[in-house]
Amino acid sequence: MGPGIPLAAPGALDRDTQALILGAFVAFIVPVLFLCVLSGPARDRVNDFYTAGRTLRPLRGALVLSGVYLSSATVLGTTGSVAVFGYDGLLIALCTLLSLGVLLLLAVPLRERAGYTLGDTFALRTPGRAVRIAVAVVTLCTCVPYLVVQLSGAGVTTAALLGLSGPGIEKTAVVMIGALVVCTTAFGGMRGTVVIQVIKTVVLLCVALAVSAVLLHRFHWSTDSLITAAEQGSGRPADYLRPGLRFAGSGDPEGTLDFVGLMITIVLGVACLPHVALQLGTAPDAATARRTVRHTLTIVAVFCLTTALMGFAASALIGAPAILAADPGGNGALVMLAGELAGGSATDAGGALLVVLVASGVFLTTLAVVAGVTLAAAGTIAHDLYTHVLRRGRTTEGREVAAARLASAGVGVLSIALAVGAQGWNVLFLTALSLAVAASSLLPALVYSLFWKRYTRTGLLWTLYGGLACAVGLQLSGPVFSGNPLALFPDWHLDWFPLQTVVLVSVPAAFLLGRLGSVGLLGGIGSRRRPRPGLGPGADERAEADAY
């Protein structure tokens, strides 16, 4: 997220309008946060804290799962991609829907084996502390970078939507949002997260529909006029509705491979993010989980359609060159569009209300997604590492919930510190890293665990650690990390891997490692701890299974 996203193309908001927007924003957000905290579990029960009692029916569960799916990257990034890259942006929006198709295929077996974390799911097939540790490592390597990107971008976007600017303001916004997330997660648990996800989805749909109605009215309800104007505003009208614009600067065939890899990353990675996969555990049974995903497909499809309209409108009213000048990633398109539709410096009460809606929607989006990711990370620390590795299953529910709350605070503080330290840097590659790790480690492990009876503990460990090492190693050796003007470290030259997306190599490698490890062609990773005297071989694994 670039450091200087303006609120509107034509001009800044006046101070009276800024004060009105800020007051309305606070008046809306504060009650929502109190409601989330008050909705937390009345007693320290593990089932309530992690899964909200597994009581979510299909419609409510779909609102929650839609909230989990519609992250800031989807809301801001997809709008910007359509505005700047046209046809390629539409394909990126379509990939979000296709990822729900992957989740639909996994919904029934994943819910049937659902515990409180992914470690529980894998431990049903291969119990043992080594498996718990491996799953925890992969989960944290997926969640923490994702949190840094969400918080870092939230600081810039929230400040811009409220008419504020400056590094200090943005860092303050990061700390504020992070602190609110810690409180929401620690006190509300999954029940509080469910409330904020439902509110976020409803608000976000209202915002998307309201903005779409306003912009369609401006173009006399003619989508042809809107798309024609978007082509002209893109600066590249001949190529705007043709594939290949997203990686037009890459060499051929690298550009084509990068775009194919990007689509695969979104389709496979988003469906297997820990906080997404664990959301299925809130359904009472497998059939309900499957219906929940089907309803979610409809909700997300409506939002993706409005996202395409908003992206076209941003290109038409602001222009792709201006959007790219404000933020090279194009993530400021929705912010700038909101200011343009509100009237810029001449904003009236109706325009101010529109900006408040957009600001609230974006803020709730960030807050809800960060809360969900934080809960997933805290769960694996408290449930997998503390309860099953450190305490070997010998603890009480109250102590585990207390550990999860402390873990929420720890993950939140770490993510806030990293996001503040990285403010002003181009950390968008961390999103690709998180999705690549999920697609390269968790997806192959889930597919093998759920559908292949010969999958072994050794194969699982090779899949998790091998996929993680391959995804991270290739990502750090690619042009998104160094050797490129838009890279995190443009002056470094570690970019021996030619592609910006790594899943074309890392996903097949993880599947291969899991297969070879399961059939005995690869040795075990680490060594089993010796069983306690007098209990015989496999005692620890049996004890864990009994505790679970």
Side-chain angles (χ1 to χ4, degrees), residues 68-287:
V68 171
Y69 247 77
L70 299 176
S71 66
S72 298
T74 303
V75 176
L76 300 176
T78 306
T79 302
S81 295
V82 174
V84 175
F85 305 118
Y87 183 89
D88 288 354
L90 294 177
L91 287 181
I92 291 174
L94 178 62
C95 287
T96 304
L97 286 176
L98 294 178
S99 67
L100 275 168
V102 174
L103 191 63
L104 184 63
L105 295 175
L106 298 176
V108 171
L110 193 56
R111 174 58 189 89
E112 289 174 344
R113 296 163 178 80
Y116 300 130
T117 65
L118 288 176
D120 286 341
T121 301
F122 293 122
L124 288 176
R125 283 285 304 271
T126 54
R129 291 192 296 165
V131 171
R132 297 273 184 180
I133 294 172
V135 175
V137 168
V138 173
T139 299
L140 292 176
C141 288
T142 303
C143 291
V144 172
Y146 202 77
L147 288 172
V148 172
V149 175
Q150 296 289 322
L151 289 173
S152 180
V156 178
T157 306
T158 303
L161 282 166
L162 298 180
L164 307 173
S165 62
I169 296 294
E170 293 162 3
K171 292 180 179 180
T172 301
V174 170
V175 175
M176 178 188 70
I177 294 172
L180 292 175
V181 168
V182 169
C183 293
T184 301
T185 307
F187 294 104
M190 180 58 79
R191 290 188 181 274
T193 303
V194 163
V195 171
I196 197 171
Q197 295 286 10
V198 171
I199 296 174
K200 167 262 187 86
T201 301
V202 173
V203 170
L204 201 59
L205 283 175
C206 291
V207 169
L209 293 173
V211 172
S212 298
V214 171
L215 65 90
L216 284 174
H217 177 72
R218 178 169 293 198
F219 285 92
H220 308 289
W221 300 93
S222 172
T223 54
D224 289 339
S225 300
L226 172 61
I227 294 175
T228 300
E231 288 181 302
Q232 298 302 317
S234 68
R236 294 169 286 189
D239 300 323
Y240 187 67
L241 293 180
R242 295 179 179 177
L245 200 57
R246 173 65 176 82
F247 291 98
S250 302
D252 191 32
E254 284 82 1
T256 301
L257 291 176
D258 271 326
F259 190 66
V260 172
L262 175 62
M263 292 190 290
I264 294 175
T265 300
I266 297 173
V267 171
L268 302 183
V270 175
C272 294
L273 286 171
H275 67 291
V276 173
L278 292 176
Q279 195 61 51
L280 296 176
T282 59
D285 52 56

Side-chain angles (χ1 to χ4, degrees), residues 44-51 116 383 396-398 400-401:
D44 289 343
R45 295 291 181 86
V46 173
N47 191 41
D48 282 345
F49 191 84
Y50 290 135
T51 66
Y116 300 130
H383 187 69
T396 64
E397 291 191 68
E400 182 172 335
V401 172

